[in-house]
Amino acid sequence: MGFLIAVLVNAAALWAAVQVLDGLEFSGDLIQWLVLALIFGVVNAIVKPVLKIFTFPITIITLGLFLLVINAAMLYLTSWLAAQIGLTFTIAGLLDAILGAIVISIVGMALNYALGAMGVD
């Protein structure tokens, strides 16, 4: 059940980022949104921890701001992987990827907090 909730939270956060930012584009039905969210979740679960380990010194020097670049890279990787299976999730530029990562983080935190307050795990 927790896995399904995580995918739904990712889908909602990605949807919010696409709605707020002109530089992020995705058009698809509900199933395609869920597939995109699944790709994003897998990328964040597998690739992101490895990148965080390798970039730890840079992250410390920048007081954590480099994590925004890592999150933007995860969006780019999600976009590339989505294109490999025929989904079109496009990112116009690095600034859009960074802003998208910020929106996704904020929406994801808010939804996780709300779901936790409701007792949904």
Side-chain angles (χ1 to χ4, degrees), residues 68-84:
L68 291 174
V69 175
I70 292 173
N71 289 339
M74 296 305 96
L75 271 180
Y76 273 119
L77 182 56
T78 300
S79 174
W80 181 81
L81 289 171
Q84 301 309 304

Side-chain angles (χ1 to χ4, degrees), residues 21 68-69 71-72 75-76 91 93-103:
L21 300 169
L68 291 174
V69 175
N71 289 339
L75 271 180
Y76 273 119
I91 303 167
L94 180 61
L95 181 60
D96 292 309
I98 291 172
L99 292 174
I102 292 169
V103 170

Side-chain angles (χ1 to χ4, degrees), residues 50-113:
V50 174
L51 275 179
K52 286 171 76 173
I53 290 169
F54 285 123
T55 61
F56 184 70
I58 298 169
T59 303
I60 294 297
I61 291 170
T62 62
L63 302 175
L65 290 176
F66 193 72
L67 290 174
L68 291 174
V69 175
I70 292 173
N71 289 339
M74 296 305 96
L75 271 180
Y76 273 119
L77 182 56
T78 300
S79 174
W80 181 81
L81 289 171
Q84 301 309 304
I85 62 168
L87 299 176
T88 54
F89 174 56
T90 58
I91 303 167
L94 180 61
L95 181 60
D96 292 309
I98 291 172
L99 292 174
I102 292 169
V103 170
I104 290 167
S105 295
I106 291 170
V107 171
M109 275 191 308
L111 289 174
N112 283 322
Y113 178 77

Side-chain angles (χ1 to χ4, degrees), residues 20-53:
V20 171
L21 300 169
D22 291 332
L24 297 180
E25 292 184 23
F26 183 78
S27 58
D29 60 15
L30 179 62
I31 299 299
Q32 292 171 326
W33 276 106
L34 294 175
V35 170
L36 182 67
L38 181 63
I39 293 169
F40 184 66
V42 169
V43 165
N44 278 320
I46 296 173
V47 179
K48 188 176 179 179
V50 174
L51 275 179
K52 286 171 76 173
I53 290 169

